[in-house]
Amino acid sequence: MSNLSPVIEAKNLSKAFGSFYANENISFSIPKGEILGIIGENGAGKSTLMKMLYGQLRPTSGQIHIDGKETSLTSPRDAIARGIGMVHQHFMLAENHSALENIILALGIASFRLMPHKSVRKRLEKLCSEFGISVDLEKPVGELSVGQQQSIEILKLLYLDSNLLIFDEPTAVLSPNEIENFFTILRGLREAGKTIVVISHKLKEILSISDRVIVLRHGKIVAERTTKETNLGELADLMVGAHFERREVIASNLSAATTVFEVKDLSSIESDSRLKKISFRVREGEILGIAGVEGNGQSELIRALMNPIKYRAKGEITFCEKNVSAYSTLELRSLGMSILPENRIKEAVILDWSSRDNFLLGHQNKKEFIKNSWIQEQALGEKALAAYKEYDLRPLSLTHHLSEFSGGNQQKIVVARELWNQPKFIIAAHPTRGVDIGAIERIHLAIQDVKKQKGSVLLISSDLDELFRLSDRLLVICGGLVRGSFTKGEFSEEKVGRLMGGGQT
Amino acid sequence: MKDALLKTLAGLIFGFLGAALISWIVGESPLFVMKVMFESAFGSVYNFGLSLFYATPLIFTGLSVAIAFHAGLFNIGAEGQLALGALAATCFALWFPSLSPWLGIPLALLFGAIIGGFWGWIAGWLKEKRGSHEVITTIMLNFIAAAIVSWLVTKVYQSPIVQSPETAEISEHYFIQERDPLYQIFDGAPISIALLFAIGLAIGVWVLLFKTKLGFEIRALGKSESTAEVSGISSSKVRQIAMFLAGACASFVSFAEIIGSAGKYRLGFSPEYGFMGIAVALLARNNPIGILFSAFLFGALHKGAADLDIETEFVTRDLSLVIQSLILIAVAIAIEWKKGRRA
Amino acid sequence: MIALAFFISIIRMATPLVFASLGGMFSERSGVINIALEGIMLFGAFTAAFVSLSMGKELGFVAGGLGGMSLALIYGLIVIHGRANQIVAGTAINLLAMGLIPLFLKSLYDSTGGTPSLSMDQRFSNLPILFMIIALAGAWFVMKKTSFGLNVSVAGENPEALDAAGISVILVRYQSLAVCGLLAGFGGASLSLFLASGYTRNMVAGRGFMALAALIFGKWKPVPTFLACILFGAFEAVQIRLQGAEGIPPEFLQILPYLATVLVLAGFVGKAVAPKVIGIPWKR
């Protein structure tokens, strides 16, 4: 199929932000009727590339050729006019408006006109039956399921006669059923001669849907493979950059250890019930991993565990032999819980505060730092400086704003802070997300240290390597349910992956 | 820090240039207008004292806006909080006329602070429990407070001896102007020790915000509610406390305006001190110490413009509003300016 | 007959409010908080009276709208391009109007209190009520049926989506503010050319904020907002009736609109949900 002339061709595309190259000399071409997968880790430059193809960013150098002609895309509108359409990871939908009005919106009528309800509906209904898409056109989009919202995004592109459809992490928020349905639609589109680009970091899905794969790393194309001729292991190695050595950590002998943290039948109260009777226990000196595709209840679980009084769920939570089902974060923290939250920037730090003030977060009730409600700046500074040494934090300054630290150093500050005073139990959610390799190593080491000091860890991550490396036991959740559990030694990418996707062992 | 000062300076220059331009447009020499204003604000000990007198309430309302702002809330309600708080202090003085000044004045101020604080707290509580946006709530509460105060002053506490809407005079146990050390210095300008209290309060608020646990929690909440929550800070509690403190600060206007000078509650005594507090806090970037300076600036501006009505032919005291608004606009834009460019 | 007269007095009272709150609707639905309504109305009232004195009431009314529009666009420049905090900027615009108008009055009429009184044929007897009804119908139609209305409400709900469709969020917000200023300016004009005869100092007297209250009470939708204005107009009319009468102090009626708004904002009387990105400057 690659004999056909390319629909779109990138020639030596580069994009620099200051002195940093987000994309460097990217060249590829996509023939008509192909599904191309683009994979890479967070920060590998996938979105920058897509933004250039969609006219949202102008390349620093290099050209884009469409149907053989050199084209400069100056805006998304420009891209749309040339038959390029994009489905963003976060849908571009107005939730209070119907699908119909969202499509009208996408027509981009800037002038003052009546909305063409009738004609749009007619054509939409035709498109729906042609591509096997079923969606309610009248209901406010916000009331529809995520899968249906995605279908509306696809309809939008079809309505605008896009020939090249770009999908940015399309499956991140979909349930396994919805993913299947989505793939069916994609295959239908390919049959109809549309060209499709799927950006993802989920290797399995890329393997099952694409015809060809491009691997990006540090802003460059490091490999291009025909999907049939590659496999999961190869792609994973290419994506990460080095053959990933799994340094096994010796599992401690845990069978006799006492339970520190226990959850019984935890279910969300809301009717959509993101959590369904989740039960587990974490023993002293144990790291319990929780694997799952994002959006399968992890966020809800974390919230319910770290602030049970606010995010009330059914079921029982026990910590240090106390029923903490109605405790606040403050009470849990004073019992010895620490939290590495999911979203560092939003939940763990304050970017325009000094690093010293950031070190105090979560410790504002410790006598060590606050005496009679006065902040003990001396003690705080000394302890923070010690953490700088221990974690090799840079820049070596307590007064620099946190925003002046790199992501890795920020996360190390959070880890150092949360591991002060030897917590009994720590919730570590995606502890190394968006962090450079060096910092990953250091953070993994720190988490293992917790264990050595008889602390327990609940590790929630979507990074299987991380989970396999650190966990003593591993639970897999999918759709808010615990689908299976493994102990160290039984971990297998295949088995865990299958459960994560909603399959059976 | 340097950056903030530069932006503030730019705002000031813009404000006065704009005023000069407008003076010129309406047919007055800008230099003459500036000269009149300068002399009116600083020309004599008395004038200077009046500038300080106008600055005092602005310190209180500026602090009120700033505390709320540090907690991530916009307190447009200082006007209502100060009206109710000041009336409460007045009422306390009317109820217990014979307490000694050492006891009566602090208690009157405290009672005012509780009522003003309560009025501020309502907005915090509604935001917490019902998610109502505090900007709209506080605006509405201003009008409600104004109506309540108007009713209380004219129908309940109306002075029997005058026609104008004001309460009876508070007893000399509370009204201490004659014995006030500051009043003696400034040639009879109605300035009082309320100014010293205001300066002390500003320092206290600075210490509270930057040196104590509560201040840390307030600032954390203001910067990032989600981070505060994960850190174990009760956003609910802190938000309500911050709004209470904001209302309490605003209520102390009574010290300067009633106990310190007028000796009674006159309906409409405040020329929108509450709204001017927004400008004061913004110019000082919500730093309590900076508020001392920006309040003085706006106080002097207010006083400076007062003589324009008589001294010039076409320019009126309303020019100070124009200057204020231009400074506000310029500083509000300057604050965002670099942020926008970096992104 | 008394009932009818009373009803008409309510509608009269509500007219400036309806104009202003419909104006506020365009601004806020597009994502721009507008506490500057007060100042915009004030400026509209002044320009209307000024033009009406020399060129007649029809042009005066139009001038009121244009005056309001110009101030609203200045506000737009500050918050859309300047990205200034909208609460601060709104307060500043109110101060600006309050400060500038007396300066103009002084040099035009040598009085800061207001314009000279308008004669009978320099002011309207009932026509602004009709204009107000037209504005209401127009606002409803625009929001419900036209692409512009869709763009306005998406600008306040999900501006990224608007941008992705190739429509300039910034332009839509400026357009919304222009419409807002026009309508609020008409509101001011109906104060000085209709309810009163001429401009008097600070004659808006909180009506801009009351219009904002009505807008929230009406949940940012044209028809409910209109009904809220009528309700608030009724409070005002009753209060005028009661003035001087014994019994309920008029102050209690005065607070009703504000109290009602607090209650509706707190969800005690149906929940008011603001446009999603209201107050947030647009940045790509």
Side-chain angles (χ1 to χ4, degrees), chain A residues 37 122 194 256 349 355 411:
Chain A
K122 214 166 148 198
K194 306 279 184 191
V349 299
S355 78
Q411 183 71 352

Side-chain angles (χ1 to χ4, degrees), chain C residues 3 5-14 210 229-257:
Chain C
F6 186 58
F7 180 70
I8 288 174
S9 80
I10 290 174
I11 302 281
R12 286 170 61 94
M13 284 298 169
M210 197 189 276
C229 290
I230 296 292
L231 183 68
F232 293 178
F235 290 149
E236 216 176 332
V238 171
Q239 185 198 316
I240 289 169
R241 289 251 156 153
L242 284 183
Q243 230 132 51
E246 290 296 313
I248 316 168
E251 283 90 356
F252 287 117
L253 285 165
Q254 233 170 35
I255 68 173
L256 282 179

Side-chain angles (χ1 to χ4, degrees), chain A residues 310 333 346 365 373 375 377, chain B residues 211 213 226-227 229-230:
Chain A
K310 179 158 178 189
R333 276 184 177 275
K346 273 195 179 159
N365 287 295
S373 82
I375 298 173
E377 287 175 3
Chain B
K211 297 288 166 192
K213 180 184 153 196
S226 44
T227 295
E229 210 166 73
V230 172

